[in-house]
Amino acid sequence: MTSTQNKSVQAAHEAFIPTMRELVRTYQALSAYSETHIRQFDLTPAQFDVIASLGNTNGMNMGELGEKTLITKGTLTGVIDRLIQKELVTRETPLDNRRCVNVQLTTKGQEVFEQVFPAHIAHIKERFEKLEPSELELLKVLLSRLRQAF
């Protein structure tokens, strides 16, 4: 066996790999479970994320919205365009700052938020309730530590 082959065999047996796989599988399961529910409301996950972020606010600028939702700038613009078509948000550029674009829910968007957000949180809560409060806290701490390692 060559040195390069030996390194790839060693790499394949790293102790963290099963944990990494489980983390990815868990994220994929959560994402699929969440997306199936959100799509019942004629929303994409990204559209829901924007509506959920804008709910209970007076709106926010595109930069803030991008940070809060973690949707990239180019993708966020398209998501906002589609939400405007659905009459769920408005986009305005203030006269005093043409580089700033503010987005806020319309009345219809606020109604969608008030219907969909609590329903989706209840839907997700059903799964998280399968864990004990102490397990949830430990999981939160460990995930935070892992995130900080990166």
Side-chain angles (χ1 to χ4, degrees), residues 6-143:
N6 190 32
K7 287 180 182 178
S8 65
V9 168
Q10 286 177 329
H13 290 91
E14 288 289 347
F16 72 90
I17 290 179
T19 303
M20 182 179 65
R21 282 190 180 129
E22 191 58 37
L23 180 61
V24 170
R25 286 183 188 126
T26 301
Y27 171 76
Q28 289 171 335
L30 171 63
S31 182
Y33 182 77
S34 176
E35 182 173 342
T36 300
H37 186 250
I38 289 301
R39 289 204 180 272
Q40 294 175 12
F41 297 99
D42 193 32
L43 295 170
T44 66
Q47 290 170 349
F48 171 78
D49 198 4
V50 168
I51 289 170
S53 297
L54 290 173
N56 295 327
T57 73
N58 292 324
M60 55 185 76
N61 67 49
M62 290 285 281
E64 294 168 325
L65 197 52
E67 287 177 20
K68 187 155 180 92
T69 62
L70 302 178
I71 299 171
T72 62
K73 187 177 179 180
T75 302
L76 183 59
T77 299
V79 171
I80 297 300
D81 288 345
R82 286 181 284 287
L83 287 171
I84 289 170
Q85 289 172 351
K86 291 182 174 190
E87 301 178 347
L88 299 178
V89 302
T90 60
R91 175 175 42 207
E92 296 175 1
T93 304
L95 295 174
D96 61 336
N97 186 355
R98 305 292 291 162
R99 293 178 296 166
C100 184
V101 176
N102 294 319
V103 181
Q104 65 186 80
L105 293 176
T106 61
T107 302
K108 183 178 175 183
Q110 183 64 30
E111 290 169 359
V112 168
F113 169 74
E114 290 171 4
Q115 174 199 5
V116 175
F117 186 73
H120 190 62
I121 294 301
H123 183 72
I124 298 295
K125 181 181 177 185
E126 289 175 14
R127 299 300 181 215
F128 277 93
E129 285 180 333
K130 293 178 184 256
L131 298 174
E132 296 294 326
S134 61
E135 291 173 315
L136 282 172
E137 182 60 28
L138 177 59
L139 184 58
K140 182 181 80 170
V141 168
L142 293 174
L143 288 171

